[in-house]
Amino acid sequence: MNANNQYEYDLFVIGAGSGGVRAARMAAALGVRVAVAEQDRAGGTCVNLGCVPKKLYVHAAEHGSAFAHAAGFGFNSQRPPFDWQVLQQNKDGVIAQANRGLEGILGKAGATLIKGKATITGNHEVTVEGTSYSAERILIATGSRPFVPALPGSDLMVTSDEVFALQSLPARALIIGGGYIATEFAGIFHGLGVAVTQAYRGELFLRGFDNEVRRYVAEHIRKKKIDLRFNSQPAEIENTTDGSLRVTFTDGSSVETDLILAATGRRPNTANLGLDKIGVELNDLGAIKVDEGFQTNVPSIYALGDVIDRMQLTPVALAEAMNLVDRLYRGKQTSLSYKLIPTAVFCSPNIGTVGLTEEEAGEQYPHIDIFTTEFRSLKQALSGTTERYLMKLIVDAGSDRVVGAHMAGEGAGEIIQGIAIALKAGATKAVFDQTIGIHPTSAEEFVTMRSKTRSIDR
Ligand code: NDP
């Protein structure tokens, strides 16, 4: 510990989101004098406007679909009416509980929560609502906010910040974007009975994911009757006389809808923090520049999470926060590895992925072997759903190590988490083959893929 009584606090954290809370409570638990400033509710994007309410909506959408799929199991009844207000109230209740829980955790750890907008007014000074506090170190964990493309009528779109507060569920929705949020909300709205169009500007959505998985998910989303359009970029949005919204695309086509969700990426929250006055450097994309130890060019100021824009994922912000606390207050200078970070897109079908895509592995290794399986589970056999499973392992033929695992299908996020441990431990394909399956599950396919689908030599 590094207590320096010249300052009121050892560490002043700006932002009580995932990264800020984790850093604050881990440091405070070590006896570090910590303050956290937050202008809104504790929990940041993840708890209030992201992962938590989104996952509750995903579960709601799955229930919606499950009624339709229950007949094959003998449940012959109509889907009961869906009450959006009940979902909203219950979702708000879970969030309020999480807000209180996080505030309690901070207090118990010994951190002081200061409510209000914080500005950095000196290398060792933060001002919140007119009161200045001194600190040996300042940590910026202010997260990110939705980015909305500039086009005529763009103010008629909502973002993920507003979508969780909708008073009613629209009959039709158009979603702009082809990333995590767009594809997840296409599945959510569809599952809740909304007629969905998803419009992506490029050839194939989910850029950065394995191409085979991207194509597979596109095919299965279309089978659900979601109107998934590629090479589709909005040019203009206007109100129509009947109260609808009309989007005209650059190719001249148009769509009428009731709600437009812009899910077109997020940008780091760096404005009005006083960074320019202090001289904290940003990179070309507007994210705060930090070194391996999350230190900015101003030695007393650190940053982590979405505001440094390495990977906009809650578990990454948590890992960065723990790494920083280890470095500053535990004397451990280990580097945080950004390799083999598993991730899931909670779209329908669900995507889970860890490691290299086939395309990346093909560039990095001279010889790779690809194992794939596509199948219908027992549940799907009776449910009548069009959904299937795709599982895929990518193996470096030279070392036999599994360098990528990908999956599309129900529970992919849950299954890939375990596979990620195997990859982190350096498991070879032989280890996968020696592992006994759990029968009958879908996950067992990851240990029963014996025949190569193809080999690729560079
Ligand atoms: P993403 O970066 O995932 O996707 C943004 C999408 O918007 C891309 O398809 C992009 O296209 C498109 N886009 C960007 N700019 C424009 C534009 N000017 N006009 C039209 N389309 C545009 O961002 P999201 O907003 O979906 O999510 C933000 C981040 O939040 C994600 O990157 C992810 O890290 C995190 N997140 C994680 C979740 C999870 O873990 N399950 C869930 C939700 C969010 P292109 O590909 O061509 O650039």
Side-chain angles (χ1 to χ4, degrees), residues 25 50 92 141 146 158 218 247 259 346 361 363 400 415:
R25 74 177 173 107
D92 290 342
V158 299
V247 181
L259 177 94
F346 295 100
E363 281 174 14
D400 195 40
I415 292 170

Side-chain angles (χ1 to χ4, degrees), residues 51 54 147-150 160 176-184 199-202 204-207 232-234 262-267 306 311-314 343-346:
C51 327
K54 179 278 303 289
F147 158 77
V148 178
S160 56
I176 312 285
Y180 281 86
I181 297 177
T183 314
E184 288 181 344
Y200 171 59
R201 63 179 173 181
L204 181 63
F205 68 174
L206 294 165
R207 186 164 59 82
S232 217
Q233 177 71 341
T264 41
R266 298 179 64 87
R267 296 287 183 271
D306 280 11
M311 287 188 97
Q312 294 175 337
L313 296 172
T314 288
T343 176
V345 187
F346 295 100

Side-chain angles (χ1 to χ4, degrees), residues 49-70:
L49 298 165
C51 327
V52 171
K54 179 278 303 289
K55 193 74 190 284
L56 293 173
Y57 283 6
V58 168
H59 288 313
E62 285 167 355
H63 278 90
S65 309
F67 285 110
H69 297 150

